[in-house]
Amino acid sequence: MKLKMLLLAAALTVSVSANSKDYTVTSPDGRITLNVNVNEDVRWSVSYDGNQIIAPSPVAMQLETISLPGSNPAGAKPKVTEVNTTLTPVVPHKNSLITDNYRELALRFREGFSLLFRVYDDGVAYRFTTSLKGEVTVTGETFGLSLPSGATAWYPLEESFMSHNERTFFAAGMDTVSRKHMASLPVLFKSKGINILLSEADIRDYPGMWVTGDDKGGVSGIFPAYPETERARGDRNVYVTARKNYLAKTEGTRSFPWRVCIITPDDAGLVESDMIYRLGAPSEIADPSWIRPGKVAWDWWNANNIYGVDFKAGLNTETYKYYIDFASGNGIEYVVLDEGWYKLGNVLSVADGFDIPEICRYASEKNVGIILWVVWKTFYDQMDEALARYREWGVKGVKVDFMQRDDQWMVNCYHEIAAKAAESHMLVDFHGAYKPDGMERRWPNVITREGVKGLEHNKWSDECNPEHDLILPFTRMVAGPMDYTPGAMVNMQKKDFSPVFNRPASQGTRAHQMAMYVVYESPLMMLADSPSNYKREQECTDFIVSVPVTWDETRVLSAQAGDYIVIARRHANDWYLAGMTDWTGRTLTADLSFLEPGRYNIEFFADGINADRRGEDYIRSTHEVTAKDKVEIPMAPGGGWVARITR
């Protein structure tokens, strides 16, 4: 690790005018310039290659007893440091080694708080830190992102703070986004041709941030206040019916969440950025050797539609032994028991037809782990006893669902579940969840999460289509792993598709679904379709289960948000190459110069000649390549292409 104090003359430019001070810090590569103006308030702005892409934007925090930055912010004392170190993630999503290189400006104010600004080659971030005695009450926070005229966005429009955050990203001119338009994070803006992805990192003991338009072409932050009263509807939906007049009561000495802008001149840089992870807190799991990423045979999407067997398929022990046999026979690490295994309202109960200890015993015998789905509220109320019992059964993880909130209480609930699951050596997959914020760095057992409009939506709508699929890598996935749950073996073109709940299909082609296993990041990657369908399509299944779920290196070769992507990922000595397109068919080219010298075998699955009519049509082929070759990637409408490259 290299950490050094820079001479202010070399790294920090300070200009003074009357009672106003401007502090300017550049990224290590010199392309991003952050300016912080301290006058009667504090405002920050950002330029890229000399062009201002974020106009002066306000930053402040209101405590019950004082407003920050206080009465005399111009008296702040600056300090600049540069850090250049390497992080080694427990569960690597993009890269097994991550360079963490930034310059940090710390402005220390008289009222017992500081503002930290970090400038990376791929973005900027800031956070408050406080050193106040006892407990403090945060009554408000001011966040603004002011954008020059002409800015646009991929905007995930929301209806309320009660949300699964499974949204469609709408293309919008920022001059049309008003205060009535609320969005969850992340939001992708384009300002003067430069991408700005707004999100946050390291949310602890504090609510998440949302945004609305500011009626000036930018956005303002809004926050769910602390819940005062709640009303439960059924076993899973707990609605806040009244809120306190504050955001959080918290320790007076602490750091607050990072406000993050990932900044890249091209769309490929968004997918390659791991800035949210870098800003997460260090791991609190001393020995993470038990954390095992892997693939999962999943039951709920395919509604247990097993056929060609001599037992009645459904919610019973025989069906899940069939899933276990399928997983074991194909090298799949886990099976999820989703809704139906327990009597709703009591996660310590077992539904009729199930013998959970026997299912876990059988799975262990077959070297398959069992993950149990639970509704968050029922699980939280019984958590200690439930984890003890699941541990006794041999369960390897929990899929915790339907939180649908990120106020301070609920954020703390996430961390408590993560910590207690870690004590029991269990993985956690959060569904009905807010976006990732780097929690997977602090709690690497939180191996993936939903908070994404994924494949399940094809059971009841047409919104999870190839155009949506090509927005996600540049928006939601930039924040962290996403449990999209790919793997449909029934694939339809646009004109043929209609939602079917119990026998669902995907939109787009077979190769489009297969490519998701390389393009999308989730160290716990689902196979959503029926084992019977995978057995019928064994050639495709063999390839899918061979694709790793963690990566040593990621390179995006070409990309345009909402349209297409071509990505190469390395695991050990093997490379995986994939392309996806929206409803527009296109042929792209991949330059293989990322390979080391030598000869390689490439096995690829591509859209068949009739895939534009029948989505399941595909071809498989193999041949030799070298680093000097270029590969054509032809894709049908809604199509895809995926390959494994080995020595």
Side-chain angles (χ1 to χ4, degrees):
M1 175 177 178
K2 183 173 75 174
L3 172 63
K4 61 181 180 180
M5 291 293 300
L6 296 178
L7 294 175
L8 292 182
L12 174 66
T13 301
V14 182
S15 61
V16 181
S17 175
N19 291 325
S20 175
K21 289 186 179 179
D22 285 282
Y23 304 90
T24 301
V25 182
T26 59
S27 59
D29 67 1
R31 301 192 74 178
I32 297 176
T33 301
L34 169 74
N35 177 265
V36 182
N37 175 262
V38 181
N39 196 343
E40 294 179 354
D41 60 6
V42 175
R43 292 178 181 264
W44 59 286
S45 59
V46 177
S47 297
Y48 193 90
D49 285 346
N51 295 311
Q52 189 177 83
I53 58 172
I54 300 175
S57 302
V59 51
M61 180 177 286
Q62 295 78 42
L63 306 183
E64 192 173 47
T65 56
I66 190 174
S67 292
L68 309 177
S71 58
N72 184 26
K77 296 182 178 179
K79 183 176 77 172
V80 173
T81 56
E82 182 169 354
V83 171
N84 190 358
T85 188
T86 300
L87 308 178
T88 305
V90 173
V91 181
H93 311 135
K94 302 177 191 290
N95 302 288
S96 55
L97 296 175
I98 297 173
T99 298
D100 193 22
N101 183 201
Y102 59 86
R103 289 174 176 167
E104 182 176 275
L105 165 66
L107 293 176
R108 184 162 57 88
F109 296 83
R110 293 177 180 175
E111 287 81 2
F113 84 100
S114 297
L115 269 169
L116 305 182
F117 293 88
R118 285 189 184 177
V119 190
Y120 294 85
D121 289 345
D122 59 345
V124 301
Y126 77 81
R127 80 188 318 175
F128 283 93
T129 67
T130 53
S131 53
L132 303 170
K133 292 182 179 180
E135 185 181 71
V136 296
T137 301
V138 181
T139 57
E141 181 181 341
T142 301
F143 170 86
L145 187 71
S146 301
L147 298 168
S149 176
T152 60
W154 288 106
Y155 201 79
L157 193 65
E158 293 273 5
E159 297 167 4
S160 76
F161 287 133
M162 182 74 172
S163 173
H164 292 276
N165 293 168
E166 300 171 16
R167 311 309 293 181
T168 296
F169 287 80
F170 293 101
M174 285 306 298
D175 58 351
T176 69
V177 178
S178 71
R179 295 187 187 278
K180 68 180 181 181
H181 297 125
M182 183 171 78
S184 51
L185 301 180
V187 183
L188 176 58
F189 304 96
K190 194 171 284 285
S191 173
K192 296 184 178 180
I194 304 299
N195 290 304
I196 303 169
L197 185 115
L198 172 64
S199 200
E200 57 182 336
D202 197 21
I203 312 169
R204 288 183 280 171
D205 199 27
Y206 201 77
M209 184 172 78
W210 305 52
V211 295
T212 67
D214 63 3
D215 293 325
K216 299 176 183 178
V219 293
S220 298
I222 56 172
F223 304 83
Y226 196 88
E228 182 173 24
T229 59
E230 299 173 337
R231 182 179 69 252
R233 293 182 184 173
D235 68 318
R236 59 200 61 184
N237 298 312
V238 181
Y239 293 87
V240 176
T241 54
R243 295 186 181 274
K244 301 281 192 179
N245 61 355
Y246 59 83
L247 303 184
K249 286 185 182 291
T250 186
E251 292 296 319
T253 299
R254 60 160 297 176
S255 57
F256 289 84
W258 289 103
R259 309 295 169 222
V260 183
C261 288
I262 296 171
I263 299 171
T264 68
D266 54 50
D267 293 356
L270 292 167
V271 184
E272 292 177 339
S273 177
D274 44 29
M275 188 171 165
I276 300 292
Y277 182 90
R278 282 177 259 148
L279 290 167
S283 176
E284 296 200 19
I285 300 178
D287 178 11
S289 59
W290 55 272
I291 297 173
R292 182 189 183 200
K295 296 252 180 23
V296 188
W298 183 39
D299 55 346
W300 189 84
W301 189 77
N302 62 76
N304 290 307
N305 271 311
I306 294 169
Y307 50 88
V309 296
D310 60 359
F311 59 87
K312 190 69 172 177
L315 296 173
N316 55 53
T317 297
E318 291 86 353
T319 296
Y320 286 92
K321 284 189 172 182
Y322 182 88
Y323 276 89
I324 291 165
D325 287 339
F326 163 70
S328 178
N330 287 277
I332 296 169
E333 289 84 357
Y334 298 99
V335 169
V336 164
L337 274 66
D338 214 289
E339 183 168 3
W341 74 266
Y342 72 86
K343 298 173 184 176
L344 294 179
N346 182 4
V347 296
L348 298 171
S349 67
V350 175
D352 295 341
F354 281 93
D355 185 340
I356 301 299
E358 171 58 18
I359 289 172
C360 291
R361 184 206 63 77
Y362 188 77
S364 178
E365 185 180 90
K366 299 280 187 172
N367 197 31
V368 174
I370 294 296
I371 296 171
L372 296 179
W373 172 92
V374 291
V375 170
W376 78 272
K377 183 65 168 70
T378 314
F379 176 70
Y380 185 78
D381 289 345
Q382 302 175 293
M383 181 159 52
D384 291 340
E385 191 175 355
L387 286 172
R389 183 166 300 180
Y390 299 169
R391 188 168 60 246
E392 180 182 325
W393 287 343
V395 171
K396 303 302 181 183
V398 286
K399 177 181 174 181
V400 186
D401 206 350
F402 286 98
M403 289 76 67
Q404 304 175 84
R405 289 166 32 201
D406 64 353
D407 49 58
Q408 182 195 21
W409 188 94
M410 185 60 78
V411 167
N412 290 345
C413 177
Y414 275 66
H415 285 271
E416 187 177 351
I417 290 172
K420 290 192 173 184
E423 291 173 2
S424 294
H425 285 195
M426 287 193 194
L427 305 178
V428 179
D429 177 3
F430 284 122
H431 269 230
Y434 64 83
K435 78 283 177 187
D437 67 320
M439 181 189 285
E440 67 275 12
R441 183 178 174 194
R442 184 187 187 201
W443 301 112
N445 62 315
V446 179
I447 198 162
T448 193
R449 74 170 70 189
E450 196 182 29
V452 63
K453 181 173 282 187
L455 189 70
E456 68 178 8
H457 283 260
N458 279 325
K459 291 165 73 77
W460 56 79
S461 81
D462 63 357
E463 295 176 354
C464 190
N465 54 52
E467 291 180 350
H468 173 74
D469 297 342
L470 268 298
I471 298 170
L472 293 178
F474 310 93
T475 52
R476 163 60 183 82
M477 195 177 81
V478 184
M482 60 180 195
D483 195 9
Y484 176 98
T485 69
M489 292 290 105
V490 179
N491 319 105
M492 295 186 180
Q493 283 292 345
K494 190 174 187 178
K495 65 182 184 300
D496 301 318
F497 177 81
S498 60
V500 177
F501 193 86
N502 285 323
R503 294 185 64 182
S506 73
Q507 299 179 68
T509 69
R510 172 70 55 78
H512 185 88
Q513 284 288 303
M514 294 177 68
M516 289 178 178
Y517 286 90
V518 175
V519 175
Y520 289 172
E521 296 166 6
S522 179
L524 201 65
M525 185 69 85
M526 304 289 164
L527 278 76
D529 217 323
S530 163
S532 301
N533 285 349
Y534 287 122
K535 289 183 177 184
R536 186 189 65 201
E537 302 286 352
Q538 193 63 48
E539 185 174 62
C540 295
T541 303
D542 288 343
F543 185 87
I544 288 171
V545 299
S546 76
V547 178
V549 296
T550 59
W551 303 102
D552 294 313
E553 186 177 352
T554 293
R555 301 189 188 189
V556 180
L557 306 186
S558 61
Q560 186 166 310
D563 293 336
Y564 61 84
I565 187 169
V566 176
I567 192 168
R569 298 191 193 265
R570 180 178 62 82
H571 181 88
N573 295 319
D574 294 342
W575 282 91
Y576 292 78
L577 181 64
M580 290 170 60
T581 186
D582 60 1
W583 282 128
T584 300
R586 48 173 52 93
T587 297
L588 302 174
T589 301
D591 188 328
L592 302 185
S593 58
F594 56 83
L595 296 173
E596 295 291 328
R599 302 198 64 82
Y600 295 81
N601 180 71
I602 184 170
E603 174 193 17
F604 68 86
F605 287 74
D607 294 324
I609 194 169
N610 293 306
D612 60 335
R613 298 179 60 193
R614 186 177 180 90
E616 288 98 350
D617 190 32
Y618 73 90
I619 58 171
R620 173 187 173 273
S621 184
T622 61
H623 58 86
E624 286 192 355
V625 294
T626 72
K628 297 179 180 180
D629 290 326
K630 294 182 179 179
V631 175
E632 279 202 346
I633 299 177
M635 293 180 285
W641 189 98
V642 64
R644 176 175 54 225
I645 305 173
T646 56
R647 283 280 185 179

